[in-house]
Amino acid sequence: MTYEPVIGLEVHVQLKTQSKMFCSSPNAESPEPNRHICEVCTGQPGALPVTNKEAVRKAVMVGLALGCEIARYSKFDRKNYFYPDLPKGYQISQFDMPINGRGELAIEVGGQIRTVGITRAHLEEDAGKLIHQAGASLVDLNRAGVPLLEIVSEPDIRTSEEARVYLQELQNLMRYLGVSDADMEKGHLRCDANVSLRRVGESNLPPYKVEVKNMNSFKAVAAAIEYEIKRQA
């Protein structure tokens, strides 16, 4: 093969807490839309966020398990999007001073141990959910403000199989620590894959990357990576 895949994964883990990331609304599923909401997670004027201590504790647990550098001081940032299901017009996330810095996760593929670097594992809030029906789009904000831990890998993954095993190891770790149910079908664990190619023998990162977003199964992630490798080649 003339080209070598360069793959990095961004994994969003929904943390298992009683309340949301910055308010006291329940972090729980509801059969009815817009039941677990308040002034903070719906972005009402003058409402102030208060950080969920349990979410911070669980984030640090994951950071320790991944051998991350745990920050003595971290901060939150505003990440601006124009999404209909993002009430404030921005997401509260972390950028340059995340709670967990560099770490790593060892995986076994084909009898060989590979180490995938972790760039960071930072806290943020989820957006809401759009429901499309009968020619209209409806907004459900039950999920808005739910605590997420985003685990960003280094571009150390080379095959779709390595990506699948990495995701499975992360899922096992989240369940072992008790920080998340990590059920991909329920959206507790979602994955964005960044895929690019470089010529075999090159060591620099490619000057581009293609991001495939919001995948919720191991099979979907592997299939998307395989498709992108063939398409880009």
Side-chain angles (χ1 to χ4, degrees):
M1 187 178 182
T2 311
Y3 298 103
E4 173 187 51
V6 179
I7 303 161
L9 299 182
E10 299 172 16
V11 180
H12 295 81
V13 179
Q14 181 177 318
L15 296 176
K16 200 174 180 179
T17 56
Q18 289 188 341
S19 56
K20 293 184 180 181
M21 186 66 230
F22 297 107
C23 65
S24 58
S25 293
N27 176 17
E29 296 177 14
S30 171
E32 296 184 69
N34 299 310
R35 287 295 177 266
H36 296 162
I37 60 175
C38 70
E39 296 84 358
V40 174
C41 55
T42 56
Q44 302 302 312
L48 295 176
V50 177
T51 307
N52 186 327
K53 181 179 179 180
E54 182 64 12
V56 173
R57 190 181 75 85
K58 284 184 162 67
V60 171
M61 284 176 64
V62 174
L64 291 171
L66 293 173
C68 292
E69 301 166 0
I70 311 298
R72 292 288 183 179
Y73 178 86
S74 66
K75 68 178 177 70
F76 287 98
D77 301 276
R78 291 185 177 187
K79 194 173 184 181
N80 291 281
Y81 293 102
F82 182 69
Y83 286 170
D85 56 355
L86 195 64
K88 298 187 293 294
Y90 60 85
Q91 176 194 40
I92 302 178
S93 183
Q94 293 187 309
F95 178 60
D96 59 329
M97 300 181 74
I99 192 165
N100 297 311
R102 290 189 174 273
E104 61 182 32
L105 179 65
I107 60 174
E108 183 176 344
V109 181
Q112 300 292 318
I113 301 296
R114 293 265 288 113
T115 299
V116 178
I118 304 295
T119 307
R120 64 183 183 273
H122 64 266
L123 281 165
E124 61 185 21
E125 60 178 349
D126 207 347
K129 181 181 180 181
L130 291 178
I131 301 167
H132 307 287
Q133 62 182 43
S137 292
L138 308 177
V139 182
D140 178 9
L141 297 177
N142 280 334
R143 200 173 66 191
V146 162
L148 298 178
L149 185 69
E150 181 175 352
I151 303 169
V152 182
S153 85
E154 290 286 296
D156 292 340
I157 298 168
R158 295 292 171 262
T159 67
S160 60
E161 177 64 9
E162 287 183 7
R164 184 186 64 78
V165 173
Y166 171 84
L167 279 175
Q168 288 179 328
E169 286 295 320
L170 272 185
Q171 184 187 61
N172 291 338
L173 184 62
M174 298 306 116
R175 289 174 173 173
Y176 177 79
L177 294 173
V179 301
S180 174
D181 290 335
D183 189 333
M184 295 192 76
E185 291 184 357
K186 293 182 179 179
H188 300 155
L189 194 151
R190 307 194 294 271
C191 178
D192 302 339
N194 295 289
V195 186
S196 53
L197 299 185
R198 66 185 174 198
R199 293 190 180 278
V200 173
E202 291 183 350
S203 57
N204 293 333
L205 289 177
Y208 76 97
K209 61 183 177 183
V210 173
E211 185 174 20
V212 186
K213 295 185 71 70
N214 279 326
M215 293 175 284
N216 66 347
S217 75
F218 302 127
K219 184 178 179 181
V221 173
I225 290 172
E226 286 294 329
Y227 176 86
E228 274 303 310
I229 289 171
K230 291 176 184 176
R231 185 182 73 84
Q232 292 179 37

